Amino acid sequence: MAARKRASAADTKPSPPPQTQETTTLIDPPIAPPKKALIFKFCLFFSIPYFYLLYQYYTIEQELRRSILINASLCVTGFFLTQRMIPVASRYVLKRGLFGFDINKKGTPQGTVKVPESLGIVVGIVFLVLAILFQYFNFTADSNWLVEYNAALASICFMILLGFVDDVLDVPWRVKLLLPSIAALPLLMAYAGHTTIIIPKPLISYVGQEVLDLGWVYKLYMGLLAVFCTNSINIHAGLNGLEVGQTVVIASAILIHNLMQIGASSDPEYKQAHAFSIYLVQPLLATSLALLSYNWYPSSVFVGDTYTYFAGMTMAVVGILGHYSETLLIFFLPQVLNFLLSLPQLSGYVKCPRHRLPRFNPETGLLTGTRDGTLINFYLRMVGPKSEKTLCIHLLLVQALGCCFCFLLRYLLAGWYK
Amino acid sequence: MILLGFVDDVLDVPWRVKLLLPSIAALPLLMAYAGHTTIIIPKPLISYVGQEVLDLGWVYKLYMGLLAVFCTNSINIHAGLNGLEVGQTVVIASAILIHNLMQIGASSDPEYKQAHAFSIYLVQPLLATSLALLSYNWYPSSVFVGDTYTYFAGMTMAVVGILGHYSETLLIFFLPQVLNFLLSLPQLSGYVKCPRHRLPRFNPETGLLTGTRDGTLINFYLRMVGPKSEKTLCIHLLLVQALGCCFCFLLRYLLAGWYK
């Protein structure tokens, strides 16, 4: 949920008369430079398992490896392009009144700085361009692949549009819940894959079959997964760098999972499904890292619902088309917990305020957990007051731990479960 | 295109970027286009070209991209009167629909019929939703349509023209837009001074619009027929659009067999 005070219509002035225009541009400073060191450290850290899996641990065939690396180099270009475009877009966004004030810095001088909002639009557009152009390099005669790929892109594009419309027009929350189901329609309509699920071995005696065809219920599940992923990222938010950070962690986990599945499998269709997922997750990761370089504490830009919806939809789409949505849901464990903690307030059973953020103390600079039902507050109540940056790092570590737990679970249950 | 059009409406991007937006939006179509990139040479020119069918390859894709840029921006600049943008789209879309139905009826090739059916499946929603918008945008306008609409409409029509393989017919439907573009070239290229708005001059006392010396079809028409009220002018221009479409149908009828 966007935890920034949206500039009210009264605040935005009409275009200033010529004589003050020069002073206005002098007063509005450009945004702070990106935190390149942070991103560099992450890339260094992540490239170790990435290249190890891609080259050493598994023998992946040349063709596939080449495609993945072509995609990766395209993404590197995308990273730098996004990093260049964010300051440019920030100027336009500020000019049109799309900015917020950082609530977690209220009472300090930084709490009066106008922070540009909705920079997720830059990420979304660069992502789409990367994903569209990649088709040229991986052009196979397989029209089925193209149909699924373009349906996926259509869903993601639709979600970016609806997310941006939401950021600009500030739609009511009931409509907000509905938006991802509308955006997921292209995927649901075009999905020609199987709608069967493999029954876990222990339950086969109860169900009576090894494989169960769910039909339209599977499509309903797909739609609900899209609604869940988008909104769960949206509500597990409010700290500088949390939304982008959680996406980066989950996307990295997805990427590792995809590489492991490709390496360990010999079924070409199965490998294709996971390769498909890689081709969409790598651009997500690259563009998100570029955004994170500006959004990490202290945030120079805010990401807006545009970003959280886009990221959630992309991950739902790859989970659906790669057929690993249960694994995806375990990666989303903190988001699931946050959702369950939030249920009483979201359902109206308990009173729900406009913002459910922890309380900021301007003197100590620490955040204290309130009694609101969010993972952030729950964690703070458990470990005591923390600064915003430390808290965000802790929560991202919790996210990473959840992903490692998922890998462990898969390793332990392999053979027993499926 | 809807996304980029809306981003443009909200952020007000510079016009050079505006020109580029449709090419970016057309990329999925260009990348996924697996159809043939051949054109049928008009019969009179076969002796010069030497072949009946010419494979253009990537040049065809370039043409597709340029068509998208043209259709979107030409509707965008032939604008400024209440109901003109939506009105011209409604007229052209209706003509496209009639053309599609005629082609399906007159043909026996299933692939050809499929191409025109595809076009119908996209033009009918365009027509229906545009009519709904027109009910609010017609003179006097209760709402404005924004670049979101003109870009969306232009791209939809370019897309159906490309995928239905009737882009030459589409361009003749776009005759007034082509004329407007040619009239605007001196100012758009910077050769002649180009003001922020190139609208006709409104006289609050008479309520009539008078043509200025700007290079637009609207001003050209007003200079020819004299001052008109906004509503009458819009109706006239839409009739011109409809006449252009009828002219296209006549042309196809006369040249059938001779041309292809």
Short mmCIF file of all heavy atoms in Angstrom, two decimals, chain A residues 96-141:
data_model
loop_
_atom_site.label_atom_id
_atom_site.label_comp_id
_atom_site.label_asym_id
_atom_site.label_seq_id
_atom_site.Cartn_x
_atom_site.Cartn_y
_atom_site.Cartn_z
N ARG A 96 3.93 17.17 -12.93
CA ARG A 96 2.49 16.95 -13.03
C ARG A 96 1.86 16.62 -11.68
O ARG A 96 0.75 16.14 -11.63
CB ARG A 96 2.23 15.80 -14.02
CG ARG A 96 2.82 16.08 -15.37
CD ARG A 96 2.12 17.19 -16.05
NE ARG A 96 0.87 16.74 -16.66
CZ ARG A 96 0.09 17.47 -17.44
NH1 ARG A 96 0.42 18.71 -17.69
NH2 ARG A 96 -1.01 16.98 -17.94
N GLY A 97 2.61 16.82 -10.62
CA GLY A 97 2.03 16.68 -9.29
C GLY A 97 1.95 15.26 -8.79
O GLY A 97 1.22 14.96 -7.84
N LEU A 98 2.68 14.32 -9.40
CA LEU A 98 2.64 12.93 -8.91
C LEU A 98 3.80 12.75 -7.94
O LEU A 98 4.84 12.21 -8.29
CB LEU A 98 2.81 11.96 -10.09
CG LEU A 98 1.59 11.59 -10.89
CD1 LEU A 98 1.99 10.75 -12.08
CD2 LEU A 98 0.58 10.83 -10.06
N PHE A 99 3.62 13.24 -6.72
CA PHE A 99 4.67 13.05 -5.75
C PHE A 99 4.07 12.79 -4.38
O PHE A 99 2.87 12.93 -4.18
CB PHE A 99 5.60 14.27 -5.68
CG PHE A 99 4.88 15.55 -5.33
CD1 PHE A 99 4.62 15.88 -4.00
CD2 PHE A 99 4.47 16.42 -6.32
CE1 PHE A 99 3.96 17.05 -3.68
CE2 PHE A 99 3.81 17.60 -6.01
CZ PHE A 99 3.55 17.91 -4.68
N GLY A 100 4.89 12.38 -3.46
CA GLY A 100 4.43 12.14 -2.09
C GLY A 100 5.47 12.60 -1.11
O GLY A 100 6.57 13.00 -1.50
N PHE A 101 5.09 12.59 0.18
CA PHE A 101 6.05 12.92 1.24
C PHE A 101 6.30 11.65 2.03
O PHE A 101 5.42 10.85 2.27
CB PHE A 101 5.50 14.02 2.15
CG PHE A 101 5.28 15.31 1.43
CD1 PHE A 101 4.00 15.71 1.07
CD2 PHE A 101 6.34 16.13 1.11
CE1 PHE A 101 3.79 16.91 0.39
CE2 PHE A 101 6.14 17.33 0.44
CZ PHE A 101 4.86 17.71 0.07
N ASP A 102 7.56 11.47 2.45
CA ASP A 102 7.94 10.25 3.15
C ASP A 102 7.42 10.31 4.58
O ASP A 102 7.94 11.05 5.42
CB ASP A 102 9.46 10.12 3.11
CG ASP A 102 9.91 8.70 3.36
OD1 ASP A 102 9.16 7.95 4.02
OD2 ASP A 102 11.00 8.33 2.89
N ILE A 103 6.38 9.50 4.87
CA ILE A 103 5.76 9.53 6.19
C ILE A 103 6.75 9.09 7.27
O ILE A 103 6.73 9.60 8.39
CB ILE A 103 4.51 8.63 6.20
CG1 ILE A 103 3.42 9.25 5.34
CG2 ILE A 103 4.00 8.47 7.61
CD1 ILE A 103 2.11 8.53 5.42
N ASN A 104 7.62 8.13 6.91
CA ASN A 104 8.56 7.64 7.92
C ASN A 104 9.70 8.60 8.20
O ASN A 104 10.66 8.26 8.87
CB ASN A 104 9.14 6.29 7.48
CG ASN A 104 8.14 5.17 7.67
OD1 ASN A 104 7.28 5.26 8.53
ND2 ASN A 104 8.23 4.16 6.84
N LYS A 105 9.62 9.82 7.60
CA LYS A 105 10.62 10.83 7.95
C LYS A 105 9.93 12.10 8.43
O LYS A 105 10.54 13.16 8.50
CB LYS A 105 11.52 11.12 6.75
CG LYS A 105 12.21 9.83 6.31
CD LYS A 105 13.25 10.03 5.29
CE LYS A 105 13.90 8.70 4.94
NZ LYS A 105 12.98 7.58 4.76
N LYS A 106 8.65 11.96 8.78
CA LYS A 106 7.88 13.13 9.19
C LYS A 106 8.46 13.69 10.47
O LYS A 106 8.64 12.98 11.47
CB LYS A 106 6.42 12.70 9.43
CG LYS A 106 5.44 13.83 9.47
CD LYS A 106 4.03 13.27 9.33
CE LYS A 106 3.01 14.33 9.68
NZ LYS A 106 1.68 13.73 9.87
N GLY A 107 8.72 15.00 10.45
CA GLY A 107 9.31 15.62 11.63
C GLY A 107 10.79 15.89 11.42
O GLY A 107 11.41 16.62 12.17
N THR A 108 11.35 15.29 10.38
CA THR A 108 12.74 15.60 10.04
C THR A 108 12.74 16.42 8.76
O THR A 108 11.73 16.46 8.06
CB THR A 108 13.55 14.30 9.79
OG1 THR A 108 13.03 13.68 8.61
CG2 THR A 108 13.43 13.35 10.96
N PRO A 109 13.86 17.09 8.43
CA PRO A 109 13.88 17.91 7.21
C PRO A 109 13.54 17.08 5.96
O PRO A 109 12.92 17.58 5.04
CB PRO A 109 15.33 18.40 7.13
CG PRO A 109 15.86 18.29 8.51
CD PRO A 109 15.12 17.20 9.19
N GLN A 110 13.94 15.80 5.96
CA GLN A 110 13.68 14.99 4.77
C GLN A 110 12.20 14.71 4.56
O GLN A 110 11.78 14.35 3.46
CB GLN A 110 14.45 13.67 4.87
CG GLN A 110 14.69 13.09 3.50
CD GLN A 110 15.87 12.15 3.45
OE1 GLN A 110 16.44 11.79 4.47
NE2 GLN A 110 16.23 11.75 2.25
N GLY A 111 11.43 14.91 5.63
CA GLY A 111 9.99 14.67 5.51
C GLY A 111 9.28 15.73 4.70
O GLY A 111 8.10 15.59 4.40
N THR A 112 9.98 16.83 4.34
CA THR A 112 9.35 17.89 3.56
C THR A 112 9.75 17.82 2.09
O THR A 112 9.30 18.63 1.28
CB THR A 112 9.73 19.27 4.10
OG1 THR A 112 11.17 19.37 4.08
CG2 THR A 112 9.24 19.46 5.52
N VAL A 113 10.63 16.88 1.74
CA VAL A 113 11.08 16.77 0.35
C VAL A 113 10.01 16.09 -0.49
O VAL A 113 9.42 15.10 -0.07
CB VAL A 113 12.40 15.95 0.27
CG1 VAL A 113 12.78 15.68 -1.17
CG2 VAL A 113 13.50 16.65 1.02
N LYS A 114 9.76 16.66 -1.68
CA LYS A 114 8.77 16.06 -2.58
C LYS A 114 9.43 14.90 -3.30
O LYS A 114 10.36 15.09 -4.09
CB LYS A 114 8.32 17.08 -3.63
CG LYS A 114 7.36 18.11 -3.12
CD LYS A 114 6.79 18.89 -4.31
CE LYS A 114 6.59 20.34 -3.96
NZ LYS A 114 6.37 21.15 -5.16
N VAL A 115 8.94 13.69 -3.04
CA VAL A 115 9.52 12.52 -3.66
C VAL A 115 8.65 12.09 -4.84
O VAL A 115 7.46 11.86 -4.67
CB VAL A 115 9.63 11.37 -2.65
CG1 VAL A 115 10.35 10.18 -3.26
CG2 VAL A 115 10.33 11.82 -1.38
N PRO A 116 9.25 11.99 -6.03
CA PRO A 116 8.45 11.62 -7.21
C PRO A 116 7.88 10.20 -7.06
O PRO A 116 8.55 9.30 -6.56
CB PRO A 116 9.43 11.69 -8.38
CG PRO A 116 10.77 11.81 -7.78
CD PRO A 116 10.65 12.28 -6.40
N GLU A 117 6.62 10.03 -7.48
CA GLU A 117 5.92 8.75 -7.34
C GLU A 117 5.81 8.03 -8.68
O GLU A 117 6.05 8.61 -9.74
CB GLU A 117 4.50 9.03 -6.83
CG GLU A 117 4.33 9.04 -5.34
CD GLU A 117 3.97 7.69 -4.79
OE1 GLU A 117 4.27 6.66 -5.42
OE2 GLU A 117 3.36 7.65 -3.70
N SER A 118 5.36 6.79 -8.58
CA SER A 118 4.99 6.00 -9.78
C SER A 118 6.14 5.77 -10.74
O SER A 118 5.91 5.65 -11.95
CB SER A 118 3.86 6.68 -10.56
OG SER A 118 2.81 7.00 -9.71
N LEU A 119 7.37 5.68 -10.23
CA LEU A 119 8.48 5.43 -11.15
C LEU A 119 8.47 4.00 -11.67
O LEU A 119 9.30 3.62 -12.50
CB LEU A 119 9.83 5.74 -10.47
CG LEU A 119 10.35 7.15 -10.68
CD1 LEU A 119 10.55 7.44 -12.16
CD2 LEU A 119 9.41 8.18 -10.08
N GLY A 120 7.51 3.21 -11.19
CA GLY A 120 7.34 1.87 -11.73
C GLY A 120 7.04 1.90 -13.21
O GLY A 120 7.26 0.91 -13.91
N ILE A 121 6.54 3.03 -13.71
CA ILE A 121 6.20 3.12 -15.13
C ILE A 121 7.44 2.98 -16.00
O ILE A 121 7.40 2.35 -17.07
CB ILE A 121 5.43 4.43 -15.42
CG1 ILE A 121 4.88 4.42 -16.84
CG2 ILE A 121 6.26 5.67 -15.23
CD1 ILE A 121 3.75 3.44 -17.06
N VAL A 122 8.56 3.52 -15.53
CA VAL A 122 9.81 3.41 -16.29
C VAL A 122 10.24 1.95 -16.36
O VAL A 122 10.58 1.42 -17.41
CB VAL A 122 10.93 4.25 -15.63
CG1 VAL A 122 12.22 4.11 -16.41
CG2 VAL A 122 10.53 5.69 -15.53
N VAL A 123 10.18 1.29 -15.20
CA VAL A 123 10.55 -0.12 -15.11
C VAL A 123 9.67 -0.94 -16.03
O VAL A 123 10.14 -1.78 -16.80
CB VAL A 123 10.41 -0.62 -13.66
CG1 VAL A 123 10.68 -2.09 -13.56
CG2 VAL A 123 11.33 0.15 -12.75
N GLY A 124 8.36 -0.67 -15.98
CA GLY A 124 7.42 -1.43 -16.79
C GLY A 124 7.68 -1.29 -18.27
O GLY A 124 7.71 -2.28 -19.00
N ILE A 125 7.88 -0.06 -18.73
CA ILE A 125 8.07 0.17 -20.16
C ILE A 125 9.38 -0.46 -20.63
O ILE A 125 9.42 -1.14 -21.66
CB ILE A 125 8.02 1.67 -20.49
CG1 ILE A 125 6.60 2.20 -20.24
CG2 ILE A 125 8.41 1.91 -21.93
CD1 ILE A 125 6.43 3.67 -20.48
N VAL A 126 10.47 -0.29 -19.88
CA VAL A 126 11.74 -0.89 -20.29
C VAL A 126 11.62 -2.41 -20.30
O VAL A 126 12.10 -3.08 -21.21
CB VAL A 126 12.90 -0.44 -19.38
CG1 VAL A 126 14.18 -1.16 -19.74
CG2 VAL A 126 13.09 1.05 -19.46
N PHE A 127 10.96 -2.97 -19.28
CA PHE A 127 10.74 -4.42 -19.22
C PHE A 127 10.04 -4.91 -20.47
O PHE A 127 10.45 -5.90 -21.08
CB PHE A 127 9.91 -4.78 -17.99
CG PHE A 127 9.48 -6.22 -17.94
CD1 PHE A 127 10.30 -7.17 -17.37
CD2 PHE A 127 8.26 -6.61 -18.47
CE1 PHE A 127 9.90 -8.50 -17.34
CE2 PHE A 127 7.86 -7.93 -18.45
CZ PHE A 127 8.69 -8.88 -17.88
N LEU A 128 8.96 -4.22 -20.84
CA LEU A 128 8.19 -4.64 -22.01
C LEU A 128 9.04 -4.58 -23.28
O LEU A 128 9.01 -5.51 -24.08
CB LEU A 128 6.96 -3.76 -22.18
CG LEU A 128 5.82 -4.02 -21.22
CD1 LEU A 128 4.72 -3.00 -21.41
CD2 LEU A 128 5.26 -5.42 -21.39
N VAL A 129 9.81 -3.50 -23.43
CA VAL A 129 10.65 -3.38 -24.62
C VAL A 129 11.65 -4.54 -24.67
O VAL A 129 11.83 -5.18 -25.70
CB VAL A 129 11.37 -2.02 -24.65
CG1 VAL A 129 12.35 -1.97 -25.80
CG2 VAL A 129 10.36 -0.90 -24.79
N LEU A 130 12.29 -4.84 -23.52
CA LEU A 130 13.25 -5.94 -23.47
C LEU A 130 12.58 -7.26 -23.83
O LEU A 130 13.10 -8.03 -24.64
CB LEU A 130 13.84 -6.06 -22.06
CG LEU A 130 14.79 -4.98 -21.58
CD1 LEU A 130 15.20 -5.25 -20.15
CD2 LEU A 130 16.02 -4.92 -22.47
N ALA A 131 11.43 -7.51 -23.20
CA ALA A 131 10.76 -8.79 -23.41
C ALA A 131 10.30 -8.93 -24.86
O ALA A 131 10.35 -10.01 -25.43
CB ALA A 131 9.59 -8.94 -22.46
N ILE A 132 9.83 -7.81 -25.46
CA ILE A 132 9.36 -7.87 -26.84
C ILE A 132 10.53 -8.09 -27.78
O ILE A 132 10.47 -8.93 -28.68
CB ILE A 132 8.62 -6.56 -27.21
CG1 ILE A 132 7.33 -6.44 -26.41
CG2 ILE A 132 8.32 -6.52 -28.70
CD1 ILE A 132 6.72 -5.07 -26.48
N LEU A 133 11.62 -7.36 -27.57
CA LEU A 133 12.76 -7.48 -28.47
C LEU A 133 13.40 -8.86 -28.39
O LEU A 133 13.93 -9.36 -29.38
CB LEU A 133 13.81 -6.41 -28.15
CG LEU A 133 13.44 -4.99 -28.54
CD1 LEU A 133 14.55 -4.03 -28.15
CD2 LEU A 133 13.15 -4.90 -30.03
N PHE A 134 13.32 -9.49 -27.20
CA PHE A 134 13.96 -10.79 -27.05
C PHE A 134 13.39 -11.84 -28.00
O PHE A 134 14.08 -12.78 -28.39
CB PHE A 134 13.86 -11.27 -25.60
CG PHE A 134 14.44 -12.63 -25.39
CD1 PHE A 134 15.80 -12.84 -25.51
CD2 PHE A 134 13.63 -13.71 -25.11
CE1 PHE A 134 16.34 -14.10 -25.35
CE2 PHE A 134 14.16 -14.97 -24.94
CZ PHE A 134 15.52 -15.18 -25.07
N GLN A 135 12.11 -11.65 -28.37
CA GLN A 135 11.48 -12.60 -29.28
C GLN A 135 12.28 -12.75 -30.57
O GLN A 135 12.31 -13.81 -31.18
CB GLN A 135 10.08 -12.13 -29.66
CG GLN A 135 9.06 -12.34 -28.59
CD GLN A 135 7.73 -11.78 -29.03
OE1 GLN A 135 6.93 -12.46 -29.64
NE2 GLN A 135 7.49 -10.54 -28.71
N TYR A 136 12.89 -11.67 -30.98
CA TYR A 136 13.66 -11.69 -32.22
C TYR A 136 14.81 -12.68 -32.13
O TYR A 136 15.17 -13.33 -33.11
CB TYR A 136 14.17 -10.28 -32.51
CG TYR A 136 15.05 -10.18 -33.71
CD1 TYR A 136 14.52 -10.26 -34.99
CD2 TYR A 136 16.42 -10.00 -33.58
CE1 TYR A 136 15.33 -10.17 -36.10
CE2 TYR A 136 17.23 -9.91 -34.68
CZ TYR A 136 16.69 -9.99 -35.94
OH TYR A 136 17.49 -9.90 -37.04
N PHE A 137 15.40 -12.79 -30.92
CA PHE A 137 16.57 -13.66 -30.77
C PHE A 137 16.19 -15.11 -30.52
O PHE A 137 17.01 -16.00 -30.64
CB PHE A 137 17.42 -13.17 -29.59
CG PHE A 137 17.99 -11.81 -29.82
CD1 PHE A 137 17.43 -10.71 -29.21
CD2 PHE A 137 19.07 -11.63 -30.65
CE1 PHE A 137 17.94 -9.45 -29.42
CE2 PHE A 137 19.59 -10.37 -30.87
CZ PHE A 137 19.03 -9.28 -30.26
N ASN A 138 14.94 -15.31 -30.12
CA ASN A 138 14.55 -16.67 -29.78
C ASN A 138 13.41 -17.13 -30.68
O ASN A 138 12.54 -17.87 -30.27
CB ASN A 138 14.12 -16.73 -28.32
CG ASN A 138 14.29 -18.12 -27.75
OD1 ASN A 138 15.30 -18.77 -27.98
ND2 ASN A 138 13.29 -18.58 -27.03
N PHE A 139 13.42 -16.64 -31.90
CA PHE A 139 12.30 -16.88 -32.79
C PHE A 139 12.28 -18.32 -33.25
O PHE A 139 13.10 -18.73 -34.05
CB PHE A 139 12.41 -15.95 -34.00
CG PHE A 139 11.11 -15.73 -34.71
CD1 PHE A 139 10.32 -14.64 -34.39
CD2 PHE A 139 10.68 -16.60 -35.70
CE1 PHE A 139 9.12 -14.43 -35.03
CE2 PHE A 139 9.48 -16.39 -36.34
CZ PHE A 139 8.70 -15.30 -36.03
N THR A 140 11.38 -19.11 -32.71
CA THR A 140 11.24 -20.48 -33.20
C THR A 140 9.96 -20.56 -34.00
O THR A 140 9.09 -19.71 -33.89
CB THR A 140 11.16 -21.47 -32.02
OG1 THR A 140 10.17 -20.99 -31.11
CG2 THR A 140 12.49 -21.58 -31.31
N ALA A 141 9.84 -21.62 -34.78
CA ALA A 141 8.64 -21.78 -35.57
C ALA A 141 7.45 -22.20 -34.70
O ALA A 141 6.33 -22.28 -35.17
CB ALA A 141 8.89 -22.82 -36.66
#
